[in-house]
Amino acid sequence: MNTFVFSRKPVANLLIAVLLCLGIHASAKDINISSRGAVGDGQTLNTKIIQQAIDECSQSGGGKVIIPAGKFLSGTVVLKNNVTLHLEENAVLLGSTDVNDYTNPDPFTDGLGIDVGWALLAAVDASNVTIEGKGTINGQGSALKAKQIETDTRSESLRWGRRPFLVRIVRCNGVKVTGVNLQFAAAWTSHYFQCKNVKIEDVKILSHGVAHNDGIDIDGCQNVQIARCDIQSGDDALCFKTTSSTMACRDITVTDMRLKSGHGAIKMGTESMAPFENIKISRCYIYDTNNGGIKLLTVDGAHLRNVDISDITMENVKTPMLFRLGSRLSVFRKGKDTQQLTGTLTNVTVRNVKANSSKVTQLSPPSGILITGVPGHYITGLTLENIEIRLAGGGTAENARQAVPEAIDKYPEVKTFGPTIPAYGIWARHVKGLTLKNVVFHLDTNDVRPAFICEDGQDITLQDWKLPETTGGESIIRLENVEGANISGVNAKGQATSFVKVEGEKSKNIKQGKNIEPSK
């Protein structure tokens, strides 16, 4: 008879592993901060109690730290591995108004050269962190500023950096922020730096009252999904940055957003050292925005490429679009990065955009779209398709010959190129492979500036344009030092001295197909 002998060691090891897993699961816990003595009266400082609850929860294997109904005052608290901060309905995590109650988990310098990074709620080098619930995180930004300036005598441009961000998530993997209300930050509202696998959904942001109230800042993050958020911000609403050269903003999808901004609604840059690539943004409603609707800016060495933006509606937006490749070449991580060479802006598509520009804008008179590289560095492969924009009009013959500064190393902003742009519709400079298809402009009043100007361009395509009837202009289209252009399907009724005016000794290979030209 055969005798079978089983080794006990593998069985024992398996049993130990199972027991360990069960033990970890059993030890995971949910902690209501009230059970640890937190007081939700809006005046008692609960920082230590909340932090101890987070630490205990993480050390026991993870779980939820619950903020119940009430106003729980706090300074900086830091989320740890496997912890969910759950804010119940009518719960408020309330930021202290004393800047000394905050710490800086990851210092850096912003695009204006200011040292920043303090925060109310942070997570650093953690995995599986979540912020959820129907409650609110409120930074009391205006009250904090009012108290700060009683003792901080520096200029406002310097002292604002000491104010805390509302939420800062730094180098984390597995981040979820869902359902919560983020309100009245003292600086940026939410900043995600070099994180992977991030999901931000159904978040409502109401943050204005002090300077630099960005809504969502995605800074060198990868595998990010953002959906159904409602942002009303004093500064940029949805902003992509790369304040470090070591990690790109990559593989990002954004859908179904409502955006109201004191500056830019959808923005890439200004901080722009590592690439922005493989980013898709769609189905966004932008309204009451005091600067740009879509602003894609790379000025510190970043390669901005493979970006697709579609199905965007804008209402009461000052300047619908700005595309800028520049050579500011700033460095934001002191001692950790070095200055880079000028980057690239290539393979970008923006389509299905309908915009109503504000009647009064930072440009006078208003213009629709600005596109500019710098000498020797061209924006390449930019496609704008199915674009419809309404503008106030009012441009004069003098405006039509306005020179636009290069501003090679300056902060990239619409007003940097103002106060006047010589085209009412699209002005482009230092571009290659620019494709503009199915473009429609409307004007409330006559504008004698050209609808389109290109300076220093190659391989320019204008196809199927519908332009308002204007009178008194020198030309409808002006090309200066353009090598290769194909203009077809342009409907330009009205009166102008010429339809296409070609200038510059480098201009050649300008082709016109079937167009409806204005009378002379």
Side-chain angles (χ1 to χ4, degrees), residues 386-390 438-442 464-468:
N386 301 335
I387 309 295
E388 183 174 357
I389 299 176
R390 177 173 290 279
N438 192 20
V439 176
V440 179
F441 286 107
H442 306 277
D464 298 329
W465 284 41
K466 293 182 181 180
L467 300 175

Side-chain angles (χ1 to χ4, degrees), residues 17 218 248 354 395 400 483:
I218 304 296
K354 188 170 184 178
E483 301 180 51

Side-chain angles (χ1 to χ4, degrees), residues 287-309:
Y287 67 105
D288 297 346
T289 289
N290 290 333
N291 197 298
I294 297 170
K295 296 166 42 175
L296 305 187
L297 320 168
T298 172
V299 296
D300 303 311
H303 301 290
L304 193 160
R305 56 201 174 197
N306 303 332
V307 173
D308 186 284
I309 300 175

Side-chain angles (χ1 to χ4, degrees), residues 99-100 102 115 118 148 154 158-164:
V99 296
N100 297 309
Y102 298 94
D115 294 335
W118 288 264
Q148 177 200 23
R154 294 176 297 167
L158 295 174
R159 67 185 170 207
W160 82 264
R162 183 60 182 82
R163 297 172 196 155

Side-chain angles (χ1 to χ4, degrees), residues 296-299 322-326 345 372-374 406-408 412 417:
L296 305 187
L297 320 168
T298 172
V299 296
L322 168 65
F323 303 87
R324 172 59 164 173
L325 168 62
L345 196 162
T372 179
V374 294
E406 289 284 358
I408 293 171
F417 306 101

Side-chain angles (χ1 to χ4, degrees), residues 111-131:
L112 297 172
I114 305 301
D115 294 335
V116 294
W118 288 264
L120 170 57
L121 179 61
V124 180
D125 298 318
S127 297
N128 304 322
V129 293
T130 298
I131 305 168

